[in-house]
Amino acid sequence: MTGSQLPGFYKRGLDERRMLLKEAAGISNDDLKALAEGLTLASANLMVENAIGTMQVPLGVATNFKINGRELLIPMATEEASVIAAASYAAKLALPTGFTATSTRPVMRGQMQLVDVEDASAGKSRIEAEKDRLIAEANKLAGLLPSLGGGVIDLKARVLEAGEEMLIVEFFIDCRDAMGANTIDTVVEGMTAEIESIVKGRALLRILSNLATERLAKATVTYKKESIGGERVVDGIIRAYRFAAADPYRAATNNKGIMNGITALVLATGNDTRAVEAGAHAYAAVGKGYTSLSKWSRDAEGNLHGELELPMAVGTIGGATKTHPTSQFALKLMGIKSARELAETMAALGLAQNFAALRALVTEGIQKGHMQLHARNVAAMAGATGPEAERIADVLAKEGNFSIARAKELLGR
Ligand code: MEV
């Protein structure tokens, strides 16, 4: 790996970009072949029911990222223009230090809802008294996890008043490098008879929680004020943050911008986009009301400091991560093997994406960048390809005329 800064990467042709990855990230010809082939129909047919094809979205590479001192190229699967360029730009401005990221142990929560319980408080006490034995029993259902240093590590019970009294029993499971949904659900379902007999009630729902408050990833970054446009930009971003922190309508859009980055990487690595999205938005609402997932402040030197913390239930083994050739490629490109490193990368990418959106919003607005990309699409619609499309897009953007007729005229058609 030579680094994540690939100057002019965006100007290269598609094949040339792929070849550059060989040098920059140790990608082999076989990896490139797998990338080109993508998901076969035969595999798709095994993944879902009633398969009829595959749905393709562009896969791009965000450059310039440095996380915990390591440079890496980040694959992003997204249909939205500007997102990858914005992340790369935000990562570049964060150099030379880059992002710092941490994560907690990958512990998820499996819930068992018990209804028609004779005495919920007494049931809770009996569960607590038998906790160690129940954890040992549950670990017999946790597959390989205990042998890998993970598995069921805790068990809690609480009485919930929800229009009726119910008892909620929760298993805390360290999922190691797996997202863990299957194992968690197996454990919780498998413990049904045992728990029912202890609490003297009936188990209804047995399912993991996507609000993974025990499995958090956090990223921080400091942007030197002079590298992002000075005091005015620092001030603008902090005020934009205050708006999102205080207003759920703005917070939803702010957090959507964060998820522009995160979801693109979740998808590229074959992880469950809905699980991560649900966890993120629920986490944004666990306090007094729905708010910004990120926080921006000024440090002692007047530089801009950003933080993002959110649940990150992602894995590097199992599910589509393993079966989808593009996901395997994505992990290889980043040189990531552990779920925690992946989670940390997600948080750093989300923070970069948020910074890029806020910087654009408090300076030139976001339409300028979008219109340049729109111009490219118009040039393509007029029949232009390759460098010619870029040249025509530049003219359209400069003239502020995005009609296909003008693009055709420039093409001489
Ligand atoms: C657009 O996809 C994302 C933004 O709306 C995010 C934001 O407003 O912070 C630009």
Side-chain angles (χ1 to χ4, degrees):
M1 174 100 195
T2 54
S4 65
Q5 295 173 65
L6 304 176
F9 191 64
Y10 71 99
K11 288 190 198 144
R12 309 289 183 117
L14 217 132
D15 286 338
E16 225 184 329
R17 282 192 208 121
R18 289 182 178 187
M19 296 318 273
L20 274 172
L21 297 183
K22 284 170 72 171
E23 238 173 81
I27 292 299
S28 69
N29 282 336
D30 283 350
D31 298 327
L32 288 181
K33 207 166 146 234
L35 173 69
E37 270 171 16
L39 186 68
T40 63
L41 285 175
S43 298
N45 199 27
L46 293 173
M47 285 170 80
V48 301
E49 312 71 42
N50 301 351
I52 54 163
T54 56
M55 163 71 193
Q56 289 155 14
V57 291
L59 180 77
V61 169
T63 55
N64 305 320
F65 272 88
K66 189 174 184 184
I67 304 171
N68 294 337
R70 188 171 86 87
E71 291 192 30
L72 76 166
L73 294 166
I74 302 186
M76 297 177 73
T78 180
E79 89 302 339
E80 186 171 335
S82 298
V83 165
I84 299 170
S88 305
Y89 182 59
K92 189 173 177 181
L93 295 183
L95 292 173
T97 312
F99 299 81
T100 301
T102 54
S103 57
T104 60
R105 202 173 163 181
V107 175
M108 301 278 290
R109 178 188 301 235
Q111 299 188 298
M112 189 185 293
Q113 175 198 24
L114 292 130
V115 295
D116 303 332
V117 181
E118 261 178 32
D119 179 340
S121 299
K124 171 176 153 54
S125 302
R126 285 197 296 274
I127 292 283
E128 282 162 356
E130 297 223 35
K131 182 169 147 172
D132 291 345
R133 185 184 66 77
L134 289 169
I135 290 177
E137 281 301 311
N139 264 323
K140 293 184 191 153
L141 302 164
L144 285 178
L145 285 180
S147 68
L148 296 170
V152 185
I153 60 162
D154 202 2
L155 178 64
K156 286 183 183 152
R158 59 192 160 95
V159 179
L160 186 70
E161 192 42 67
E164 61 178 293
E165 198 177 63
M166 50 185 80
L167 185 62
I168 309 300
V169 174
E170 295 178 316
F171 294 82
F172 294 85
I173 306 176
D174 179 333
C175 299
R176 302 279 90 188
D177 289 320
M179 187 276 190
N182 276 330
T183 310
I184 301 162
D185 296 344
T186 303
V187 168
V188 193
E189 283 191 7
M191 291 300 288
T192 303
E194 184 85 49
I195 301 286
E196 280 182 335
S197 81
I198 294 175
V199 306
K200 298 189 176 46
R202 182 166 62 88
L204 197 56
L205 299 194
R206 288 142 306 156
I207 189 75
L208 66 79
S209 169
N210 287 121
L211 178 52
T213 48
E214 281 69 36
R215 195 176 192 172
L216 299 173
K218 182 173 177 178
T220 61
V221 69
T222 299
Y223 284 104
K224 291 250 179 286
K225 60 175 181 290
E226 53 280 6
S227 66
I228 60 169
E231 176 58 30
R232 253 185 105 76
V233 176
V234 173
D235 188 61
I237 290 179
I238 291 170
R239 287 174 150 174
Y241 156 64
R242 287 189 190 138
F243 180 15
D247 178 52
Y249 291 93
R250 172 58 206 154
T253 319
N254 178 77
N255 294 344
K256 188 271 183 186
I258 291 171
M259 300 315 286
N260 272 347
I262 292 177
T263 302
L265 179 54
V266 175
L267 188 59
T269 53
N271 275 288
D272 184 337
T273 52
R274 289 83 54 216
V276 175
E277 295 265 356
H281 293 291
Y283 195 62
V286 286
K288 287 201 197 104
Y290 185 87
T291 187
S292 171
L293 282 165
S294 58
K295 289 193 178 90
W296 294 97
S297 60
R298 192 183 273 101
D299 72 7
E301 283 82 51
N303 297 319
L304 180 70
H305 179 76
E307 281 181 34
L308 172 67
E309 182 186 67
L310 72 173
M312 197 48 73
V314 291
T316 52
I317 54 168
T321 311
K322 204 84 201 154
T323 51
H324 201 305
T326 315
S327 312
Q328 285 291 298
F329 176 88
L331 289 172
K332 179 137 194 219
L333 181 69
M334 294 184 287
I336 285 182
K337 293 208 167 68
S338 82
R340 286 180 67 172
E341 199 185 347
L342 180 58
E344 290 164 11
T345 306
M346 300 266 178
L349 178 59
L351 188 58
Q353 206 73 57
N354 184 223
F355 168 80
L358 297 182
R359 195 209 59 86
L361 286 166
V362 304
T363 55
E364 79 257 16
I366 56 157
Q367 277 313 86
K368 194 173 164 219
H370 274 212
M371 291 323 277
Q372 179 66 31
L373 286 155
H374 178 55
R376 263 212 234 164
N377 286 337
V378 173
M381 281 189 280
T385 52
E388 192 173 43
E390 296 292 345
R391 183 183 61 79
I392 290 173
D394 283 346
V395 179
L396 295 178
K398 213 171 278 160
E399 293 178 353
N401 179 350
F402 300 97
S403 72
I404 298 184
R406 176 66 181 136
K408 281 191 171 156
E409 202 175 284
L410 290 165
L411 251 178
R413 292 191 184 158

